[in-house]
Amino acid sequence: MDRASTIMLVAFLLCLSTTVRAEDPYLFYTWKVTYGTISPMGVPQQVILINGQFPGPKINCTSNNNVIVNVFNELDEPLLFTWSGIQQRKNSWVDGTPGTMCPILPGTNFTYKFQVKDQIGSYFYFPTTSLQRAVGGYGPINVHSRELIPVPFDRPAEEFNVFVSDWYKKGYKTLKKILDNGQTIARPDGLVMNGKNGKVGENKLNPLFTMEPSKTYRYRVCNVGLRTSVNFRFQGHSMTLVEIEGSHTVQNVYDSLDLHVGQCLSVLVTANKEAKDYYLVATSRFFKQEFSTVALIRNGNGNGGPATPELPPPPPVNTEGIAWSINQFRSFRWNLTASAARPNPQGSYHYGQINITRTFKLVNSKTQANGKLRYAINGVSHTDPDTPLKLAEYFEIPGKVFKYDIMGDNPPDNLENPATLAPNVVNATFRNFVEIIFENHEKTIQTYHLDGHSFFAVGIEPGKWSPEKRKNYNLVDAISRHTIQVYPNSWAAIMTTLDNAGMWNLRSEMWARTYLGQQMYFSVLSPERSLRDEHNIPDNQLLCGLVKGMSVPHPYTI
């Protein structure tokens, strides 16, 4: 080989090496989803296991990692997983909701591929089909900062995942039947942490986690329940809040924290007390009658003695408790000086200075349709068609499956009328900066989640919203997050840029309400049909309904 050829070969190999190194790392998981029997509240129950685990396996990844999850469905009914809070840039194809994907049928498998693009934080996955979330199938997604990105706290000795959930002794198929018959599933039977309902003084209560004296630990806590807000606190230990749903926070210290359905956060706890056992306590919120659970935390080598039975008290209840919780929400602030993945470069995302292009005022309601209980947003109770909305739109047959904009940007004058049952899809404008007002006229708390985007939670107040309320917004350091609670007879306001092309679900996290229609979709279409804005349909995408057997449209191009 002559000198010129050698130089060309070396240059080619260097280029190839650079290209290979430039691609973000891949993480591979194989999940076998089955039924199993455990006794979360002393009664043997059928639950959903992943690889025999409840909660399921941890997805432990780093910003920009590509995650590949091959799911084998060994249940007796269809299955879908969603990756709550993972924004999946340009990729609603694998969002895992009935509006975006065909379900994984029993006895088959499907491989999800998504990227945790420009994200850090605490998230979770769960099944979106039916009421399956009631009995498990959920687990943690921990997204770490890349090594070169400073984190605004010292590396903890260890990280622990805690899943708090309300629990029903009825199986999820029974709960589904109750809802299908037009009734409510009523109050849960109790709370569990990581699948166990612990009681003070219980002799067989094994430690959930062990902390070594003087070391600091990160607890990633998620509320994966069906309807119950919780308050959690450590016996004798304070908590430093460091992260909420992917945003580093101002590091305030708390004795207890409210956590609403679908929300996750991270706290640091230092084992700086006597080396003995302590309780982690979770208590229901905004129910007339509280219920609780405890988990045992071992501080030291276990020789220091048992935990004392005196538990730290819960926050106030009733109206005073709502005011307490709103004030705590207002104390949460985005850490603007921390280096981390964020929507725009550090310190430059002045969301309070962007002009609002569209305002949605969304009011939830408990209603009736065909004589049965339904839940609605602005008088429309969403139904899932046999053909997923995303596929109908991509295959250019939306008119055969749904109509755009049957729900107005504002609620109708009379929400007492029977709800309209239909797929609820809003035709949104790509890259519009929108304001969404959630107004809750009911006596129960609500929580909402938006797939594919983070939003700025700028305000919560009692009463009804009006444009004058904007003067009370936090337009400087509101937390960028993906869920927001709406207290009884109150409103909440969020702002976001709909810059992620795709079909994205906005839903109640109170899962019976979602199942009975309190959800909708934003269709965020890129006019360019370009790979710069949205990925092509995956080669392995499942097809069903009207698109089954149809030829795939021409792919997007650069």
Side-chain angles (χ1 to χ4, degrees):
M1 182 180 296
D2 59 28
R3 175 180 172 81
S5 299
T6 301
I7 292 174
M8 290 179 65
L9 177 60
V10 171
F12 171 78
L13 292 174
L14 285 173
C15 180
L16 180 63
S17 174
T18 301
T19 301
V20 171
R21 286 199 305 270
E23 188 170 12
D24 293 301
Y26 280 75
L27 302 177
F28 296 89
Y29 300 88
T30 299
W31 289 356
K32 182 187 294 185
V33 185
T34 63
Y35 293 120
T37 301
I38 63 173
S39 303
M41 298 193 71
V43 178
Q45 288 183 254
Q46 184 187 71
V47 298
I48 293 176
L49 308 176
I50 302 176
N51 294 349
Q53 300 176 43
F54 176 71
K58 181 190 302 182
I59 295 178
N60 206 40
C61 54
T62 300
S63 294
N64 294 349
N65 281 177
N66 295 285
V67 179
I68 312 295
V69 186
N70 190 2
V71 176
F72 289 82
N73 180 10
E74 298 189 7
L75 307 182
D76 59 2
E77 62 179 28
L79 174 69
L80 279 174
F81 282 103
T82 195
W83 322 93
S84 186
I86 301 300
Q87 293 186 22
Q88 301 178 89
R89 304 300 297 178
K90 314 182 200 178
N91 195 21
S92 67
W93 300 110
V94 293
D95 193 40
T97 64
T100 56
M101 297 185 66
C102 301
I104 309 168
L105 297 178
T108 67
N109 72 297
F110 177 78
T111 301
Y112 291 89
K113 177 184 176 181
F114 59 90
Q115 186 178 26
V116 288
K117 184 72 173 174
D118 296 328
Q119 286 186 271
I120 56 96
S122 306
Y123 309 95
F124 67 99
Y125 59 83
F126 67 94
T128 59
T129 30
S130 179
L131 268 290
Q132 292 168 348
R133 172 170 163 172
V135 294
Y138 50 72
I141 307 175
N142 297 345
V143 187
H144 302 270
S145 293
R146 287 172 288 180
E147 285 295 329
L148 297 179
I149 304 297
V151 174
F153 50 87
D154 293 336
R155 185 186 296 271
E158 197 171 347
E159 295 188 347
F160 301 131
N161 287 97
V162 179
F163 285 96
V164 186
S165 172
D166 48 23
W167 194 264
Y168 290 82
K169 292 181 180 178
K170 298 181 178 70
Y172 80 93
K173 293 181 180 179
T174 300
L175 296 176
K176 177 179 178 295
K177 187 178 297 183
I178 291 170
L179 294 175
D180 290 342
N181 289 336
Q183 302 169 333
T184 65
I185 58 174
R187 181 194 134 136
D189 294 300
L191 294 179
V192 297
M193 271 193 284
N194 288 13
K196 298 178 180 178
N197 177 263
K199 295 178 174 57
V200 173
E202 186 177 345
N203 292 328
K204 296 182 180 179
L205 193 62
N206 294 319
L208 185 63
F209 303 114
T210 297
M211 303 192 299
E212 294 183 21
S214 302
K215 292 186 177 181
T216 298
Y217 296 80
R218 180 175 183 171
Y219 284 80
R220 298 178 185 256
V221 188
C222 295
N223 183 339
V224 294
L226 293 189
R227 61 171 294 183
T228 307
S229 295
V230 299
N231 178 272
F232 72 94
R233 52 213 182 269
F234 287 82
Q235 191 179 44
H237 293 73
S238 60
M239 303 174 286
T240 301
L241 181 67
V242 294
E243 177 252 337
I244 294 179
E245 297 175 14
S247 291
H248 291 311
T249 62
V250 173
Q251 295 179 15
N252 295 326
V253 177
Y254 299 88
D255 291 325
S256 72
L257 284 162
D258 276 357
L259 191 62
H260 307 280
V261 180
Q263 297 181 351
C264 296
L265 54 76
S266 292
V267 295
L268 299 180
V269 179
T270 301
N272 55 5
K273 305 296 181 182
E274 181 184 356
K276 53 178 287 187
D277 291 347
Y278 293 89
Y279 287 120
L280 167 58
V281 188
T283 305
S284 64
R285 294 286 275 148
F286 314 119
F287 274 97
K288 290 182 180 179
Q289 183 178 354
E290 290 181 346
F291 45 100
S292 63
T293 185
V294 300
L296 199 64
I297 306 297
R298 181 145 292 163
N299 181 354
N301 57 16
N303 298 324
T308 58
E310 293 79 21
L311 299 180
V317 296
N318 301 325
T319 304
E320 184 183 356
I322 292 173
W324 184 95
S325 193
I326 291 176
N327 285 334
Q328 186 172 87
F329 163 82
R330 290 172 177 161
S331 73
F332 300 155
R333 301 290 173 138
W334 204 14
N335 187 340
L336 298 180
T337 63
S339 298
R342 55 175 74 240
N344 267 320
Q346 175 180 320
S348 68
Y349 200 65
H350 303 299
Y351 64 93
Q353 300 174 20
I354 303 175
N355 291 329
I356 297 168
T357 53
R358 189 173 181 183
T359 296
F360 298 90
K361 183 179 177 182
L362 306 180
V363 178
N364 53 276
S365 60
K366 182 178 180 179
T367 183
Q368 293 280 322
N370 301 324
K372 290 188 176 182
L373 172 68
R374 296 290 299 188
Y375 297 99
I377 299 175
N378 287 6
V380 179
S381 185
H382 174 81
T383 58
D384 289 314
D386 293 333
T387 305
L389 307 169
K390 174 63 179 173
L391 293 178
E393 190 174 67
Y394 182 74
F395 281 82
E396 300 179 339
I397 57 166
K400 295 182 179 181
V401 177
F402 66 92
K403 295 180 180 179
Y404 293 102
D405 298 324
I406 63 171
M407 182 197 78
D409 292 5
N410 290 283
D413 293 334
N414 188 0
L415 289 170
E416 300 300 321
N417 291 332
T420 298
L421 262 65
N424 191 358
V425 183
V426 169
N427 194 358
T429 303
F430 187 46
R431 297 198 175 112
N432 262 13
F433 187 71
V434 301
E435 173 189 47
I436 303 176
I437 312 300
F438 300 100
E439 199 169 88
N440 179 16
H441 299 174
E442 300 184 57
K443 296 180 180 179
T444 56
I445 192 169
Q446 310 288 316
T447 310
Y448 286 93
H449 167 88
L450 176 60
D451 279 353
H453 298 77
S454 288
F455 51 70
F456 294 96
V458 295
I460 290 179
E461 287 186 0
K464 294 185 177 181
W465 181 86
S466 63
E468 293 75 22
K469 299 293 185 179
R470 291 183 179 127
K471 68 179 184 295
N472 299 333
Y473 287 0
N474 176 359
L475 297 180
V476 178
D477 57 358
I479 290 176
S480 175
R481 57 189 306 173
H482 55 82
T483 65
I484 186 68
Q485 70 269 20
V486 194
Y487 296 94
N489 299 307
S490 301
W491 59 265
I494 66 173
M495 294 176 168
T496 190
T497 302
L498 297 176
D499 61 350
N500 195 8
M503 183 75 70
W504 300 108
N505 187 222
L506 185 150
R507 60 178 175 266
S508 169
E509 281 293 301
M510 330 303 274
W511 207 250
R513 286 177 168 264
T514 302
Y515 180 74
L516 292 183
Q518 195 172 311
Q519 58 172 308
M520 55 174 280
Y521 284 83
F522 281 111
S523 171
V524 185
L525 288 171
S526 164
E528 302 297 329
R529 292 181 67 89
S530 167
L531 288 175
R532 290 189 300 270
D533 300 328
E534 186 172 13
H535 295 325
N536 276 315
I537 185 171
D539 293 337
N540 67 332
Q541 193 77 13
L542 300 172
L543 301 181
C544 56
L546 296 179
V547 303
K548 189 173 183 178
M550 291 182 64
S551 298
V552 176
H554 291 299
Y556 297 152
T557 59
I558 298 296

